[in-house]
Amino acid sequence: MKRLGLLYLGAQNLRRKPFRSFVTIAIVGLAAGALFSATLLIGSVDRSLEVGMQRLGADLLVVPEGYQESGQAALITGAPTSFYMNHSVLDQVRNIKGVAQASPQLFIESMVSSQCCTGHVQLVGYDPDSDFVIGPWLAQNLNRTLDKNEVVIGSLILANKGEQVHFYGHNFDVAGVLDGTGMGADESVFMNIDTAYTMAEESAQVAESPLDVKRGTISSVLVKIAPGSNIDQVTQRIKTSVPGTMVITANELSRSVTDRLSGFTRGFIAIDAIVWVMSLLTIAAIFSMIVNERQREIGLLRAMGSNRRFVFRLMLTEAVFLTAAGGIAGIFVGGAALFIFKAVITSSLGIPYLWPPLWYFGMLMGGTLLLSIISGALASLYPALSSSRLEPYAAIRQGE
C-alpha cells in the first residue's frame, strides 16, 4: 500500500477512539511540558547570570557587616534596600593589595507610588569618576556623562528615554534605558552620586517622608581585582583590613542562585522522570489493547495483501501521531505556564530570569518534540511487532 494509505489509516484509527487518544496525548503532553518548562527555566537563569555578571563588571562587592543577604538580593532580583557605611571604607579598600579598581555606590529605596513605578524600586547613586559599570555603557551609547538631573533606568522601569521620572520631589530626565539582564539592574534607577546626595538633602522640603542619608556615606564598594591576583586572597585581605564589612564575590552570587534553584530542579526532574515512565507504560499498555481489539482488522489487512512491514509501520505511525500531538501540546502549555507564572516563580525562589534567544527556544522545542516521538515509538515497539506477526486467518478468527 502507498504511504498516503498508511497515514490515512493511522489518522482514522485514532479518530475512532477519541477519548483514548486524548488520554494518551494528555499524558505525553504532561511529561513534555514539565521537561520543556524546567529546561527553559534553568537555561533562562543561566543566561541571566551570564549577562548580569558581565554588566556588573566587578569581582567583589563590599557591604556593611550584616547586610550580605540584602546586598545579594539587590543585585540578583533588584529587591530595594537601604544600608550605609562611612566613605572611608572606599579608601581602605583601594589600598588593599590586589585591588585594581574600586568604586562606591549609594542605595536608596524609592517611595511607593513614584511616578515611574507601581512599588518600591532601587535608586543607585554611582561615582562617575571611578565607576566601571554604568560609565562604559554611557560612553558607548551617549558619549557623555549624566547631567545632575538625568538618570539611566533598568529595562523593567515603566518609562522611556526622553521621559521624566519623579523621586522625593525631584524630576529626572531619562537619558537612557539599559538592556535587560534579568537581574537587579533591570529594576534599578542609576544617577550621579552627588545628585543622590542633593536629592536626599532636599527631600525634607517635600511633603513625602524625607531621606536620612548623609553626604559622604555609601552603601557598597564595587571591586575589580588586578590581573594575576587571587580573588580569595584579596577577599581575605579586605575582611582582615576593613573591619565591619562583608565581601560578596561574583562566584558567591552565582552559587547563591544555583543553590536556590537546585532543590526546585531536583524536584522537577524527579516528577518529570516519573511522568515519563508512566507515559511510556501507558502507551505500551494502550497499544497492546489496540492490537487485541483490532486483530480482525489486522487480519483483513493482511488478507488484502498488506505485508507485515506495513502493519508494523501502521502501529508506529499511530504512536508517532499521538506522541507528536502530546509533545506539541506540552511545549505550548508548559511555555505558557512559565510565561504566566514567571514572576511568581522568580520572586518565590529569589532567582534572576532572562528569556533566552530564539535559537535556544527552537532547539529546546525541537529536542522536546523529538524526545516525545522517540519515546512513543519505543513504547509501541513491542505491540507493533506483535501485531505484524499475526497470521491473517488466525487474526480474523480471534477477532470475531
Side-chain angles (χ1 to χ4, degrees), residues 150-153 159-165 172-177:
E150 286 185 325
V151 295
V152 171
I153 63 175
N160 298 310
K161 183 178 179 179
E163 296 180 351
Q164 283 193 334
V165 290
F172 297 96
D173 297 321
V174 177
V177 180

Side-chain angles (χ1 to χ4, degrees), residues 96-108:
I96 300 294
K97 181 181 179 182
V99 172
Q101 291 178 270
S103 181
Q105 287 192 339
L106 180 70
F107 297 159
I108 298 175

